[in-house]
Amino acid sequence: MTVSPHGEATRTGPDKTTLLFAAVLPLLSVLDVLIFSHVNLEALGVRVLWAGELVLSAFLVTRLSGWSRRLFFLANSAIGSVFYLAVVACTGDVDSPYVHMVMCLPLLVAIVYPEEAGAAIVSGVVCMLGIGTLVVLTGHPPAQAIAWASLVAMTSFFGVAGSTQFRRALEARNEARLERTRREAAEKLAGTLAAQALSERLATVGRLTAGVMHEINNPLAFVHANLRFLQEELRAQRLSSEAHVELEQVLAETRSGVERVQQIVLDLKGFSRRDTEESTACALTDVVADAVRLAAVRLKHRVHVKVELPPGLPPVLATPRRLVQVLLNLLVNAGDAIEESGREPGQILVRGEARGQRVVLFVEDNGPGFPPEVLPRLFETFFTTKGPEKGTGLGLVISRELLEHCGATLTAENREEGGARLRIEWPAHDQAAGTLSG
Ligand code: ADP
């Protein structure tokens, strides 16, 4: 059974309960044998006819909807009641052992057609008229007919009340379902719009970064050249050795500082370039070094990053810049968590392992780890504990997506000794290539 948006129940196939009742109905003649010690052929005939009508209606009801369906319920409850009264008439009128069920008939109809309160009323009216007529025709006093009719009216009332309640509950449930669907659609739309706005903002930031990097790079180049010139000039001057050494040292330090800034600019320029590369086999050593260097700008001196990659680690299938983005995100997340917890000294370990043909890369920190309520939601879009200013809740989702693109997986867990562990796992190289081509 399905429910239409208007709270109307519609059955998708023939109603099995009705078919079952139709099959059992003629068999009820066994009761006649037990009660009257012989088969009551008239009652059997009525039951067979009734069963036929039920089979027809079980199929017919599937083609109806709206008003025709409601009318069908009303007509069917009247027909069912007439058939029952006919069985009563065939088995002894008012003295029939089945007569007592006449009172309950409207209630039964209300149970069979709970969505249609009118069905119980129709059945009640038919039963009242039917039983009243039987009582009067069989010579009983009219007061008895009135008593019977009153009892039937009472059960009809309860039947109608039950049906009304059922209908209200059905409507409330459908309304709640519709409301939930509407809300989910609205949330989805809001999420999509927010993601779109964010990606537009990030694209603008990327373009701005590329421009700013270009502007910084030019003055840096001549600052660097001038420093080299000064160093050479200094060597040509005949200064006292102490002053000379000191000046040399200052110039060397300044030059290395400028070179570091140049490297950062270079990295950022590379990072913000549009990425259309296909996955290739790449050495983790280079990628990890790039990511750690970029992250150092943010982690500053608060967190110490250690890298442990065994020399024979096989290359992995990835887009180097995307992998740098993923690692950068994991390192910054670890740094944020450590900073927030105030733990000192903060430590992050980037550790690689070859497990047979597979390669696993761990990013572990000694921060607070994932609280139990956060762990299952880590990869939910827009899930963040950092507040709107700092977090977007997209880092881990995007990271996982980027890694899946090259056949790798990203999972998170808490370390036994405390802190978080993010784990990137590449399948054996051939398998990953298969994933990509598939
Ligand atoms: P965002 O960084 O914008 O919050 P992410 O998807 O990158 O989005 O991270 C989702 C959440 O996962 C973070 O808000 C934080 O609560 C949690 N998280 C991520 N990395 C760590 C970590 N190393 N330690 C503790 N919590 C973390």
Side-chain angles (χ1 to χ4, degrees):
M1 188 161 87
T2 56
V3 178
S4 78
H6 312 292
E8 202 171 69
T10 52
R11 292 188 173 98
T12 43
D15 182 13
K16 292 198 185 75
T17 319
T18 309
L19 288 178
L20 186 72
F21 185 50
V24 169
L25 206 51
L27 303 179
L28 290 180
S29 291
V30 175
L31 284 177
D32 296 351
V33 177
L34 292 176
I35 297 166
F36 307 112
S37 307
H38 62 86
V39 178
N40 184 320
L41 287 175
E42 282 177 324
L44 178 63
V46 172
R47 287 194 183 103
V48 170
L49 272 177
W50 190 0
E53 189 270 338
L54 283 174
V55 172
L56 255 176
S57 68
F59 283 94
L60 193 61
V61 75
T62 58
R63 295 158 187 255
L64 303 175
S65 63
W67 273 104
S68 58
R69 191 182 168 82
R70 295 189 69 184
L71 275 176
F72 173 83
F73 285 159
L74 297 181
N76 222 27
S77 61
I79 293 170
S81 306
V82 168
F83 271 122
Y84 191 83
L85 286 165
V87 171
V88 171
C90 297
T91 51
D93 296 320
V94 182
D95 298 323
S96 163
Y98 302 116
V99 76
H100 304 287
M101 273 281 282
V102 174
M103 278 186 295
C104 308
L105 223 49
L107 260 186
L108 293 180
V109 166
I111 292 169
V112 176
Y113 303 119
E115 329 75 293
E116 183 50 65
I121 299 177
V122 168
S123 169
V125 171
V126 171
C127 287
M128 272 160 59
L129 292 175
I131 195 72
T133 313
L134 272 182
V135 169
V136 172
L137 286 181
T138 49
H140 291 82
Q144 208 169 335
I146 294 169
W148 271 100
S150 307
L151 286 172
V152 173
M154 203 169 69
T155 54
S156 304
F157 170 78
F158 286 118
V160 172
S163 292
T164 310
Q165 295 261 20
F166 176 84
R167 200 176 166 77
R168 278 196 197 132
L170 199 69
E171 275 167 6
R173 196 186 65 182
N174 290 332
E175 189 50 42
R177 239 185 236 175
L178 274 178
E179 184 54 39
R180 202 171 54 232
T181 316
R182 269 199 293 268
R183 209 177 43 239
E184 278 168 6
E187 275 169 12
K188 216 167 165 184
L189 182 67
T192 314
L193 289 177
Q196 198 183 347
L198 184 75
S199 70
E200 275 165 17
R201 222 163 54 225
L202 288 178
T204 312
V205 171
R207 277 197 299 277
L208 276 175
T209 311
V212 171
M213 291 306 127
H214 185 72
E215 292 302 316
I216 293 176
N217 219 14
N218 291 341
L220 268 185
F222 69 73
V223 170
H224 191 254
N226 288 355
L227 281 172
R228 191 162 351 133
F229 171 74
L230 284 176
Q231 259 182 323
E232 282 160 11
E233 280 298 298
L234 186 66
R235 277 180 206 131
Q237 304 279 326
R238 288 196 187 127
L239 293 174
S240 73
S241 69
E242 200 181 316
H244 184 266
V245 169
E246 213 171 314
L247 271 176
E248 265 277 7
Q249 207 174 331
V250 170
L251 279 177
E253 273 172 17
T254 316
R255 225 179 113 180
S256 96
V258 169
E259 275 164 6
R260 186 160 154 64
V261 176
Q262 273 183 318
Q263 183 61 53
I264 292 171
V265 169
L266 208 69
D267 287 343
L268 277 177
K269 268 175 81 176
F271 189 59
S272 61
R273 261 205 323 265
R274 270 181 86 83
D275 192 357
T276 51
E277 297 165 23
E278 279 302 310
S279 298
T280 50
C282 62
L284 276 180
T285 336
D286 301 337
V287 177
V288 171
D290 282 355
V292 171
R293 213 169 40 239
L294 272 169
V297 181
R298 172 89 177 258
L299 301 175
K300 302 204 187 89
H301 305 294
R302 289 167 305 177
V303 181
H304 177 248
V305 184
K306 193 172 166 194
V307 178
E308 279 179 10
L309 297 172
L313 201 62
V316 297
L317 204 57
T319 312
R321 212 169 307 129
R322 287 184 185 165
L323 189 50
V324 171
Q325 183 182 344
V326 170
L327 288 174
L328 181 61
N329 181 48
L330 302 188
L331 290 168
V332 169
N333 270 350
D336 285 347
I338 292 171
E339 189 185 3
E340 207 161 295
S341 70
R343 218 151 280 183
E344 279 187 42
Q347 276 172 347
I348 302 175
L349 175 63
V350 183
R351 181 165 68 81
E353 255 180 51
R355 293 187 177 171
Q357 288 287 297
R358 291 172 298 129
V359 175
V360 191
L361 188 69
F362 298 99
V363 178
E364 299 171 339
D365 63 62
N366 68 341
F370 307 107
E373 69 280 7
V374 167
L375 197 55
R377 303 191 59 196
L378 280 181
F379 296 97
E380 262 177 38
T381 315
F382 300 120
F383 175 77
T384 179
T385 55
K386 297 181 185 170
E389 290 302 310
K390 208 171 173 192
T392 58
L394 288 174
L396 289 178
V397 187
I398 291 174
S399 299
R400 181 178 261 189
E401 211 170 284
L402 292 178
L403 288 169
E404 275 171 3
H405 183 72
C406 40
T409 54
L410 174 66
T411 49
E413 62 191 11
N414 280 318
R415 296 165 68 212
E416 270 169 28
E417 54 275 57
R421 175 182 293 129
L422 276 299
R423 172 195 169 112
I424 304 173
E425 184 162 345
W426 282 269
H429 206 68
D430 291 351
Q431 236 175 299
T435 312
L436 273 182
S437 60

